[in-house]
C-alpha cells in the first residue's frame, strides 16, 4: 500500500536507436524482436531505426513494419553510407528519451539483453551502462582470434583513457540524456571507434558512473578465420587509428574542452534540439 506523501516511482521515457546498413533481409524481424522485448518492460518507449545509406531495400522494409507500429517505431535515414557512429548519433539527436541507447540490427546480440541493461542502469543509478562480453554472467560465443584482439584492444583503451570497464565494443549501450546533451556536440568519430569516443569524453566531463551489464551474444563466421576475413585487418587498423586520434584530441589538443566550443565541428543535426 502506498503511504501518504510517498512519491510514485519516476517513469522514464526510453529511446532505442537501431542503426542499419544493407539489412533488408533481416530488418523487419530485428525491429520486431526489439519491440517485443521492450513491450515487456515498464518503460514507455520509442524505437528509431536509422538507415545508414539507402543502397538497398532496408528503408522500405523498415518503413513497412513501422506503419504497423507507428507510435512505437520511427524510420529515418539518408542517401549515403556515413558509418555506424554517424547513424547512432543521428538517431540520438532526434530522440525524446530520458534514457537513450542503441543496439545493433541483426541477431548477434540477443535483444533480451536490453532488459538486463535497464535493470543494471536503475540499480547502479548509472550515467552509462554498457553491454559487456566480459561480465561474469554474460553468455557469449565468438571466435578465439577475436577474443585475443578484443582483449588487447581493451588494455590499449584502458591505458589511454583510464576507463574502468573491461569491454567498450559491444553494440549495446544506454546513456542518461544529460550525458548525451553534454557529449554529442563534441564528438567526431563516424565509424570505427565512435563508442570509445563517447565513453572517453563522458568520463572526461565527469560522468564517472559507467558500469557493465551482462549480455547474450553469438558471433560466428563459419569455417573462415576471422583474421583472414575480408576487410577485418582494415577494420582493426582504423579502430586503432581512430582511438589514437581520440587520445590526441583529448589529452594533447584538448579539443573536447568547453572553452574550445568555437572549434567544434560536429554538424548541428547531430546535436539535440530539445523536446
Amino acid at each position: 500500500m502506498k503511504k501518504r506523501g510517498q512519491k510514485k516511482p519516476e517513469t522514464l521515457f526510453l529511446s532505442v536507436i537501431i542503426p542499419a546498413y544493407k539489412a533488408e533481409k533481416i530488418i523487419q524481424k530485428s525491429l520486431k524482436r526489439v519491440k517485443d522485448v521492450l513491450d515487456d518492460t515498464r518503460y514507455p518507449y520509442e524505437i528509431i531505426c536509422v538507415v545508414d545509406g539507402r543502397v538497398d531495400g532496408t528503408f522500405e522494409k523498415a518503413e513497412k513494419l513501422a506503419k504497423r507500429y507507428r507510435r512505437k517505431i520511427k524510420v529515418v535515414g539518408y542517401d549515403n553510407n556515413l558509418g555506424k557512429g554517424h547513424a547512432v548519433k543521428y538517431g540520438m539527436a532526434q530522440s525524446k528519451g530520458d534514457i537513450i541507447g542503441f543496439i545493433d540490427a541483426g541477431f548477434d546480440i540477443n535483444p533480451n539483453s536490453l532488459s538486463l541493461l535497464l535493470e543494471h542502469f536503475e540499480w547502479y543509478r548509472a550515467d552509462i551502462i554498457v553491454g559487456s562480453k566480459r561480465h561474469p554472467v554474460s553468455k557469449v560465443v565468438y571466435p578465439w582470434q577475436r577474443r585475443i584482439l578484443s582483449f588487447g584492444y581493451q588494455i590499449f583503451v584502458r591505458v589511454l583513457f583510464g576507463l574502468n570497464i573491461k569491454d567498450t565494443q559491444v553494440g549495446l549501450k544506454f546513456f542518461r540524456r544529460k550525458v548525451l546533451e553534454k557529449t554529442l556536440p563534441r564528438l567526431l568519430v563516424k565509424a570505427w571507434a565512435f563508442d570509445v569516443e563517447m565513453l572517453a569524453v563522458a568520463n572526461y566531463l565527469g560522468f564517472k558512473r559507467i558500469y557493465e551489464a551482462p549480455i547474450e551474444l553469438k558471433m560466428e563466421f563459419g569455417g573462415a578465420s576471422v583474421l583472414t576475413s575480408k576487410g577485418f585487418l582494415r577494420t582493426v587498423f582504423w579502430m586503432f587509428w581512430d582511438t589514437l586520434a581520440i587520445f590526441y584530441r583529448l589529452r594533447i589538443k584538448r579539443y573536447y574542452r568547453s572553452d574550445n566550443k568555437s572549434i567544434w565541428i560536429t554538424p548541428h543535426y547531430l546535436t539535440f534540439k530539445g523536446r
Side-chain angles (χ1 to χ4, degrees):
M1 178 180 293
K2 180 184 173 184
K3 295 181 181 179
R4 183 178 298 177
Q6 182 178 347
K7 291 183 178 179
K8 292 176 63 178
E10 183 182 10
T11 300
L12 300 175
F13 190 81
L14 177 67
S15 296
V16 177
I17 314 304
I18 301 181
Y21 175 63
K22 291 186 177 180
E24 62 181 354
K25 294 181 179 179
I26 63 168
I27 192 61
Q28 289 187 340
K29 189 174 181 180
S30 184
L31 289 173
K32 183 65 165 54
R33 287 183 74 197
V34 172
K35 177 192 175 296
D36 289 346
V37 170
L38 294 178
D39 282 343
D40 288 335
T41 70
R42 66 176 182 80
Y43 296 93
Y45 71 87
E46 64 177 355
I47 296 170
I48 302 177
C49 176
V50 183
V51 179
D52 182 28
R54 296 182 65 167
V55 297
D56 63 359
T58 302
F59 188 95
E60 289 74 19
K61 291 285 185 69
E63 181 69 14
K64 184 176 180 180
L65 182 73
K67 288 178 180 178
R68 292 170 52 192
Y69 305 107
R70 195 169 293 278
R71 295 185 179 181
K72 299 292 187 180
I73 301 176
K74 174 183 177 182
V75 181
V76 297
Y78 36 84
D79 290 339
N80 299 317
N81 174 238
L82 297 174
K84 177 182 167 183
H86 183 278
V88 168
K89 290 180 283 187
Y90 188 90
M92 287 177 165
Q94 300 188 42
S95 67
K96 300 181 296 184
D98 303 294
I99 301 172
I100 302 166
F102 68 90
I103 183 172
D104 290 347
F107 305 106
D108 287 345
I109 302 173
N110 187 330
N112 287 316
S113 302
L114 288 163
S115 298
L116 291 172
L117 262 74
L118 290 169
E119 289 174 10
H120 281 67
F121 198 100
E122 287 205 27
W123 179 260
Y124 288 118
R125 297 181 180 179
D127 294 319
I128 303 170
I129 283 285
V130 303
S132 172
K133 298 185 296 294
R134 295 188 177 84
H135 191 282
V137 299
S138 288
K139 299 177 181 179
V140 298
V141 176
Y142 68 119
W144 65 266
Q145 304 102 318
R146 189 124 184 180
R147 288 175 185 266
I148 293 171
L149 288 168
S150 177
F151 180 73
Y153 180 71
Q154 294 311 319
I155 292 175
F156 182 64
V157 168
R158 179 172 286 206
V159 169
L160 290 183
F161 305 112
L163 291 169
N164 191 29
I165 52 177
K166 297 177 181 178
D167 188 5
T168 60
Q169 293 313 111
V170 171
L172 178 55
K173 297 177 176 68
F174 280 107
F175 303 78
R176 289 199 184 276
R177 187 178 186 89
K178 66 180 181 180
V179 176
L180 294 176
E181 287 175 339
K182 290 286 188 179
T183 58
L184 276 187
R186 308 167 199 249
L187 304 180
L188 291 177
V189 179
K190 294 181 179 181
W192 312 110
F194 81 94
D195 32 12
V196 170
E197 186 180 38
M198 295 176 86
L199 296 173
V201 173
N203 183 66
Y204 167 75
L205 293 175
F207 298 105
K208 304 293 186 180
R209 301 184 65 81
I210 304 174
Y211 300 101
E212 293 173 286
I215 60 164
E216 185 174 341
L217 176 146
K218 188 174 183 180
M219 187 182 295
E220 296 182 309
F221 295 90
S225 169
V226 174
L227 297 179
T228 59
S229 61
K230 184 179 179 181
F232 181 73
L233 292 179
R234 183 173 66 89
T235 298
V236 170
F237 171 81
W238 285 113
M239 279 285 296
F240 278 91
W241 180 268
D242 279 353
T243 304
L244 287 171
I246 295 165
F247 178 80
Y248 170 76
R249 289 193 294 270
L250 182 66
R251 302 299 184 193
I252 299 174
K253 190 177 180 181
R254 310 289 184 184
Y255 172 86
Y256 301 110
R257 287 167 52 121
S258 295
D259 56 7
N260 279 331
K261 185 175 182 179
S262 62
I263 66 171
W264 296 347
I265 59 175
T266 299
H268 180 69
Y269 67 85
L270 294 185
T271 61
F272 283 120
K273 303 169 184 62
R275 290 185 286 185

